[in-house]
Amino acid sequence: MKRLTWPLVTLAVLLLVNVIYKPDFFSITMVDGHLFGSLIDILNRAAPLILVAVGMTLVIATKGIDLSVGSVIAISGALACLLISKSEDASALNVVLIAVGAALLVSVVSGLWNGLLVGGIGIQPIVATLILMVAGRGIAQLVTDGQIITISSEPYSFIGAGYLAGLPFSIFIVAFVLLVSALLTRRTAIGLFIESVGCNPEASRLAGIRSTFVVFLVYMFCGLCAGIAGLILSSNVSSADGNNAGLWYELDAILAVVIGGTSLNGGRFYLAGTVLGALIIQTLTTTIYSLGVPPEITLVVKAVVVLLVCLIGSEQFRSKWKKDKAAGKVPSKKEVTA
Amino acid sequence: MSKLRIGSQFVPALVTMVLFCLMFLAASAQYTGFFSAQVFLNLFIDNAFLIITAVGMTFVIISGGIDLSVGSVIALTTMISASLVEHHGWSPMVVIPLVLVIGSLFGWVMGYIIHEYQIQPFIVTLAGMFLARGLCYVISIETITITNETYTAISQAKVPLPGGNYVSISVVLALLVVGLAIYLAHYTKFGRNTYAIGGSESSALLMGLPVGRTKILVYTFSGFCSAMAGVVFTFYMLSGYGLHAVGLELDTIAAVVIGGTLLTGGVGYIAGTLFGVLIQGIIQTIIMFEGTLSSWWTKIAIGILLFLFILLQRVLVSRKAKAA
């Protein structure tokens, strides 16, 4: 639990800032049987990021990285919207189901492609997924023909904008995916396999783990998560934009994973930490909006957060700081790094 | 045997050059007006900034690292230049050297953090990317158009070449940077150290090479190149904007990889990178001449090319490993 302390403190501080600025921050009201409030809003908006970050956590646990998630988000949303817009009755449930199924299938295939390159051919993950990151956005634009496809389909918009039992439906999707991945990785051996592949793929292969298969699996899962996030994002705005959907998501997802305490060196992963990381990022964004600071400055804040998290995680930095403190010196290096 | 090994290092870069020539010839046969010196020169004019950025990136990748901040540093450079020249009335003669220093300093700090605290280059330069982009917006959210005489004069200046063709001043700058980089990479201690670190950092350390200093210098040079590219980009766009050069880091990495530089470090050629940029340029030109193909085909084509080249590298590396 100790490793969750810092993310929790960060989140608490952020929430505190919000309460001081806006005393009714925690209040949740009921309108038309739906719950409304800043907290619900943060949860709802964070849903796609949490999904992508959970997939990314498992990929990073195998010492990999998936840069293509943003493009997969765009492809998934584009394909679903295209299929619905081409059908005769956009509101028919079976049309929506087919569209969702097709989009998820393509997402899994995208993940499989990444997995093949990383696990099968042995290309560095950052390069292997770079290919789909570059080409994927082109594919998404090809699907939408370079236009923004707008649709009006009630069942489809339910995915991202609907409510169930007073809560946004996307929260339930996230909870379901989280539950499944937590059960799979912590109650079965697959989590252990993932960590052992992240520590040393060759050793785990010798120990009898089919490490290639594990790599395939995590990239496919990451693709699937990105695909679901793409559905939520596109259904929320009832449109698909091949060019801008999911832009920068790969970076935010990696950031969430790192804040959550999962090391980029692989071998360990913390799903709960990742969820906290994603919530911190979303709360930060919301806070910056509500404080009236130009939203663009979020980037500067994010940059400082990334650096601080990495520096605290760096042994060299900590030992240097401790040494300086022991010697009674003021750590002069801090200015350079902050 | 050793002759074969040296040969296999050259293969990706050679393939790129041959591919470029084939594409140029095929396009010339297909489209009237394609086969002209000016079409060839336009590749340089339109991609001068990418050439300069990719040169810096080549050093970083040869040293075994990666620099994701290049696109943002370009945007920041255009922003600082535009703001100082337009809003504060500074002379371009002061602003241009200043932004080059800022870019180098930015690279130096990233290199320092990467080396001193042993954090992955990927994550440090990612933070640098956020930071530089964010700083753009701190300066201004809007586009700043540049009307300064010096900038417009340089932007419109044509360097005449025989046969009525011309290039821009940016191309001259880009070629100077390429020349400097080839000298640095192959004829200086710094270049040899960079290759050695990329080959094996621990061996380089045991050999007594200045690993830390070289690594920091590599990122400083990349920062300098990005700032230089930013200056050229300012000439090209005549404006400063926070969304300039979004996603350029990936085009740059793609160019370096297509140019035959191994992403595992230790192997690569500046000349290969030049052709890597030209290949991306020619794909865009072909799509322009075709008229009906849309711009997203560029991305897909670059993705496919990237895939093929990485596959080729992979085959060559595994064959080399087997031979050794």
Side-chain angles (χ1 to χ4, degrees):
Chain A
M1 265 306 121
K2 206 177 162 191
R3 52 164 205 275
L4 288 183
T5 318
W6 279 108
L8 273 174
V9 168
T10 315
L11 189 59
V13 168
L14 276 175
L15 293 175
L16 200 69
V17 169
N18 275 296
V19 173
I20 292 169
Y21 187 75
K22 210 172 103 186
D24 63 342
F25 183 74
F26 282 119
S27 76
I28 290 171
T29 50
M30 190 92 151
V31 181
D32 294 337
H34 302 333
L35 293 171
F36 280 98
S38 303
L39 288 181
I40 306 274
D41 192 48
I42 288 174
L43 270 181
N44 193 11
R45 281 173 194 274
L49 183 58
I50 296 177
L51 280 174
V52 177
V54 163
M56 188 72 86
T57 308
L58 297 191
V59 168
I60 287 178
T62 64
K63 210 174 181 172
I65 199 128
D66 190 347
L67 295 181
S68 70
V69 286
S71 296
V72 174
I73 287 176
I75 295 175
S76 149
L79 190 64
C81 288
L82 179 81
L83 286 177
I84 291 172
S85 72
K86 284 267 188 284
S87 68
E88 281 166 15
D89 180 12
S91 290
L93 191 63
N94 60 339
V95 167
V96 172
L97 284 180
I98 290 171
V100 167
L104 293 184
L105 186 69
V106 168
S107 313
V108 173
V109 171
S110 309
L112 181 64
W113 161 261
N114 286 332
L116 270 176
L117 294 189
V118 175
I121 308 181
I123 300 173
Q124 272 166 286
I126 179 170
V127 185
T129 53
L130 179 72
I131 298 172
L132 190 59
M133 181 184 189
V134 176
R137 239 170 237 285
I139 295 171
Q141 281 170 300
L142 188 70
V143 171
T144 60
D145 205 22
Q147 312 286 318
I148 295 176
I149 299 181
T150 316
I151 54 165
S152 91
S153 162
E154 220 167 280
Y156 188 66
S157 64
F158 182 76
I159 301 173
Y163 280 81
L164 187 70
L167 285 169
F169 184 62
S170 54
I171 294 180
F172 289 92
I173 301 178
V174 171
F176 177 73
V177 172
L178 260 180
L179 191 71
V180 169
S181 38
L183 282 179
L184 276 180
T185 53
R186 294 305 183 205
R187 289 278 171 266
T188 72
I190 188 84
L192 198 65
F193 290 173
I194 290 173
E195 292 190 334
S196 77
V197 169
C199 283
N200 189 336
E202 190 53 25
S204 35
R205 193 185 61 83
L206 292 174
I209 297 169
R210 292 167 65 192
S211 50
T212 325
F213 179 71
V214 172
V215 169
F216 281 5
L217 211 64
V218 291
Y219 280 93
M220 276 159 70
F221 179 71
C222 189
L224 180 68
C225 285
I228 302 174
L231 291 178
I232 294 179
L233 282 169
S234 69
S235 101
N236 201 359
V237 291
S238 282
S239 65
D241 178 355
N243 211 11
N244 292 315
L247 208 60
W248 305 115
Y249 255 76
E250 52 284 337
L251 304 176
D252 276 354
I254 296 167
L255 184 54
V257 175
V258 173
I259 292 177
T262 300
S263 159
L264 282 166
N265 290 322
R268 277 280 155 82
F269 67 92
Y270 309 109
L271 287 177
T274 296
V275 175
L276 272 179
L279 285 174
I280 288 174
I281 293 175
Q282 189 53 53
T283 314
L284 191 68
T285 313
T286 310
T287 310
I288 288 171
Y289 275 120
S290 67
L291 287 180
V293 180
E296 289 77 10
I297 294 177
T298 334
L299 285 174
V300 176
V301 179
K302 272 183 194 166
V304 174
V305 171
V306 182
L307 266 185
L308 283 180
V309 168
C310 288
L311 283 178
I312 293 168
S314 151
E315 229 162 81
Q316 279 80 5
F317 181 76
R318 275 178 308 190
S319 62
K320 197 170 205 167
W321 203 72
K322 262 184 211 146
K323 227 182 347 189
D324 286 350
K325 214 161 77 170
K329 278 194 298 183
V330 180
S332 57
K333 291 274 159 60
K334 249 181 97 186
E335 266 78 15
V336 182
T337 55
Chain B
M1 210 58 206
S2 70
K3 207 177 160 189
L4 190 80
R5 217 168 62 202
I6 293 165
S8 77
Q9 283 180 346
F10 279 112
V11 168
L14 278 178
V15 168
T16 310
M17 293 176 192
V18 171
L19 188 70
F20 174 77
C21 296
L22 285 179
M23 284 169 91
F24 199 84
L25 288 176
S28 305
Q30 184 76 26
Y31 310 107
T32 44
F34 197 97
F35 192 77
S36 76
Q38 195 58 52
V39 168
F40 178 71
L41 292 174
N42 282 345
L43 289 178
F44 284 86
I45 295 174
D46 294 335
N47 293 299
F49 62 95
L50 190 55
I51 293 175
I52 299 175
T53 326
V55 162
M57 183 72 89
T58 311
F59 274 89
V60 174
I61 293 182
I62 288 174
S63 81
I66 197 114
D67 188 350
L68 295 178
S69 72
V70 290
S72 311
V73 173
I74 289 178
L76 184 60
T77 308
T78 67
M79 212 62 194
I80 295 176
S81 311
S83 160
L84 287 181
V85 168
E86 290 300 315
H87 294 172
H88 301 278
W90 289 34
S91 156
M93 293 306 122
V94 181
V95 170
I96 293 176
L98 180 72
V99 290
L100 290 180
V101 170
I102 293 176
S104 310
L105 209 63
F106 199 86
W108 184 86
V109 171
M110 289 193 300
Y112 180 85
I113 296 175
I114 290 167
H115 171 69
E116 199 68 18
Y117 301 121
Q118 302 289 320
I119 305 175
Q120 281 124 319
F122 169 76
I123 204 83
V124 174
T125 55
L126 185 71
M129 172 189 189
F130 279 137
L131 189 66
R133 243 323 139 222
L135 288 176
C136 291
Y137 293 115
V138 173
I139 296 173
S140 166
I141 296 175
E142 318 266 300
T143 313
I144 305 175
T145 314
I146 296 179
T147 50
N148 182 284
E149 285 156 24
T150 318
Y151 271 93
T152 46
I154 295 176
S155 164
Q156 281 153 10
K158 289 177 179 176
V159 181
L161 290 177
N165 300 305
Y166 67 91
V167 291
S168 60
I169 289 180
S170 302
V171 176
V172 178
L173 287 175
L175 292 179
L176 279 177
V177 171
V178 169
L180 172 75
I182 290 178
Y183 171 74
L184 276 179
H186 302 300
Y187 299 99
T188 63
K189 261 188 207 166
F190 167 68
R192 280 194 292 277
N193 290 347
T194 310
Y195 277 97
I197 292 174
S200 164
E201 194 174 325
S202 48
S203 304
L205 202 64
L206 288 173
M207 277 165 69
L209 298 181
V211 170
R213 203 177 68 207
T214 309
K215 255 166 106 177
I216 295 174
L217 270 179
V218 162
Y219 287 95
T220 313
F221 183 66
S222 177
F224 169 80
C225 284
S226 310
M228 188 73 174
V231 171
V232 167
F233 202 74
T234 322
F235 294 146
Y236 191 68
M237 304 295 275
L238 279 180
S239 66
Y241 186 36
L243 278 178
H244 272 333
V246 166
L248 189 98
E249 46 285 331
L250 302 168
D251 290 343
T252 313
I253 297 170
V256 175
V257 172
I258 292 173
T261 299
L262 274 190
L263 274 152
T264 40
V267 179
Y269 301 96
I270 308 294
T273 298
L274 179 62
F275 277 89
V277 174
L278 291 182
I279 281 204
Q280 293 197 26
I282 206 166
I283 294 175
Q284 252 152 5
T285 314
I286 288 174
I287 284 168
M288 224 168 65
F289 267 79
E290 179 68 33
T292 50
L293 283 175
S294 304
S295 66
W296 45 85
W297 283 106
T298 319
K299 289 176 187 167
I300 298 177
I302 290 171
I304 293 171
L305 265 186
L306 202 56
F307 171 63
L308 291 176
F309 275 87
I310 290 166
L311 211 58
L312 178 73
Q313 286 187 354
R314 188 68 208 158
V315 170
L316 289 175
V317 169
S318 68
R319 193 179 295 163
K320 210 162 113 187
K322 260 180 214 148

